[in-house]
Amino acid sequence: MRRVAIAIAVVSVSAGFVAGCGPRQDGPPTDSGAPVTCEVKQGTKLDIATGNATGVFAALGIAYADQIALATDGRVTATAAETMASVQNIQDLVAGKYQVAFAQTDTAADAVLGIGTFDGDKQPVQALARLYPSYTEVVVRADSGITSIAGLRGKRVSTGSPKSGTEMLARRILRSGGLNPDSDIAVNRLDLTKAVAGMKDGSLDALFFTGGLPTPGLTELFKSGGDKFRFIDTSEQLAGMRILNPVYELGAIPAATYGLPEDVPSIVVPNVLLVRDNLDADVACVLTKALFDRKPQLEQANAAAKGIVRDAARETNPVPLHRGAQHALAN
């Protein structure tokens, strides 16, 4: 947490967030329905919900906050905050704590449809763009004897932070593998930093994380003792997962990502950048333009940003694309 707080402080200074610098900053207005100009003349301040400190959401969120200010000459500024990720991000976005949020598409789909965690309560969120894909990363201790999801029975497993997309996905994968996540494993609901520490000290047998590649926390884990840890294949669970949500895809974690002996098949879920459905369209347009105009700078923050592709940006279904984002992507 301290690491992200320090990084955010650096971003805030570099982007001119210090009191007394630049125009007065207010929260973004709501959408008036007027034609989109993609110009923001009033000083506007945003808060961005990201994810765990050593995950890709946090790395890109900090960089994105910086680039928003640079792209708008300081008229729009942003602060990135560490969070528990997708589920919490959407809840806090709707509550007004944040104005922009990173989320997995499966979680966002549940939110707009009012199913799963959001059962019976459709959330008023829309997308600015489809982002890079996240990979289901299931790491086990090499001496644990675990070779499959079914092999996690009776083991000490971190299923991710409470209210995170990782936790939701982990529970679905465990059920698809024939396990009850509430009784068949010793559940540890840990953020990535604590889960990595648990793998190192032997208090955990396995961890789940869903993130872009490379995930900084897992890069550090494999650098510290690569022969002590390995990934397991989750592809056998894909058919069951697609019954729950068709956004899930088959992918592979390339061996070179973490210095692995071979590629590891993995369930993949795309990510989206979300806002409330009533966000001012010009602000939404500016945010979307900054995402693509400043993509090279985001790639320097984390290579996962290479997976942010303009041609695929509109593919957010069933999450509606905000009208400001539609304007940005059409011009």
Side-chain angles (χ1 to χ4, degrees), residues 23-300:
R24 176 180 168 217
Q25 301 292 309
D26 297 310
T30 55
D31 194 14
S32 66
V36 183
T37 65
C38 215
E39 296 181 3
V40 177
K41 298 178 181 178
Q42 172 186 325
T44 302
K45 185 182 184 302
L46 306 167
D47 291 299
I48 303 173
T50 64
N52 289 181
T54 55
V56 177
F57 278 178
L60 290 183
I62 292 169
Y64 182 46
D66 201 14
Q67 296 307 317
I68 289 169
L70 294 171
T72 62
D73 295 323
R75 288 190 302 278
V76 182
T77 60
T79 300
E82 180 191 1
T83 68
M84 296 300 183
S86 297
V87 176
Q88 181 196 34
N89 286 0
I90 293 171
Q91 292 172 337
D92 287 347
L93 176 68
V94 172
K97 184 175 181 179
Y98 302 104
Q99 292 74 50
V100 184
F102 286 78
Q104 293 173 197
T105 299
D106 54 350
T107 311
D110 284 359
V112 298
L113 296 173
I115 60 176
T117 303
F118 306 93
D119 188 22
D121 190 13
K122 296 181 180 180
Q123 302 298 301
V125 298
Q126 294 184 351
L128 296 182
R130 173 174 169 149
L131 301 176
Y132 61 91
S134 277
Y135 292 74
T136 303
E137 301 173 294
V138 185
V139 182
V140 301
R141 291 185 60 85
D143 59 5
S144 66
I146 302 168
T147 59
S148 66
I149 294 298
L152 294 172
R153 186 182 300 273
K155 301 297 185 180
R156 302 162 299 175
V157 183
S158 173
T159 54
S161 303
K163 295 188 177 182
S164 66
T166 290
E167 181 179 54
M168 184 188 75
L169 191 57
R171 291 178 64 84
R172 287 180 172 178
I173 289 174
L174 288 164
R175 289 191 183 280
S176 294
L179 300 179
N180 184 329
D182 297 315
S183 59
D184 289 338
I185 62 172
V187 177
N188 292 259
R189 303 172 76 196
L190 304 176
D191 65 31
L192 183 58
T193 301
K194 292 178 181 177
V196 167
M199 294 293 285
K200 288 181 178 179
D201 66 24
S203 60
L204 287 177
D205 300 304
L207 70 79
F208 279 81
F209 191 75
T210 307
L213 303 179
T215 299
L218 296 185
T219 298
E220 193 275 329
L221 177 65
F222 278 88
K223 281 185 177 179
S224 69
D227 59 336
K228 297 179 182 178
F229 313 105
R230 55 186 174 79
F231 285 90
I232 59 174
D233 182 347
T234 59
S235 61
E236 290 184 5
Q237 278 64 57
L238 181 61
M241 296 291 288
R242 286 186 61 82
I243 293 173
L244 298 173
N245 196 316
V247 303
Y248 298 118
E249 304 167 357
L250 180 63
I253 300 169
T257 306
Y258 301 110
L260 307 175
E262 57 187 4
D263 294 354
V264 180
S266 172
I267 293 173
V268 177
V269 58
N271 298 298
V272 285
L273 197 61
L274 300 176
V275 295
R276 280 187 62 102
D277 60 2
N278 64 351
L279 178 70
D280 177 73
D282 287 326
V283 173
C285 184
V286 164
L287 292 174
T288 307
K289 279 183 59 63
L291 179 68
F292 291 96
D293 290 349
R294 299 285 172 157
K295 183 171 175 278
Q297 289 82 0
L298 299 182
E299 291 176 6
Q300 292 175 15

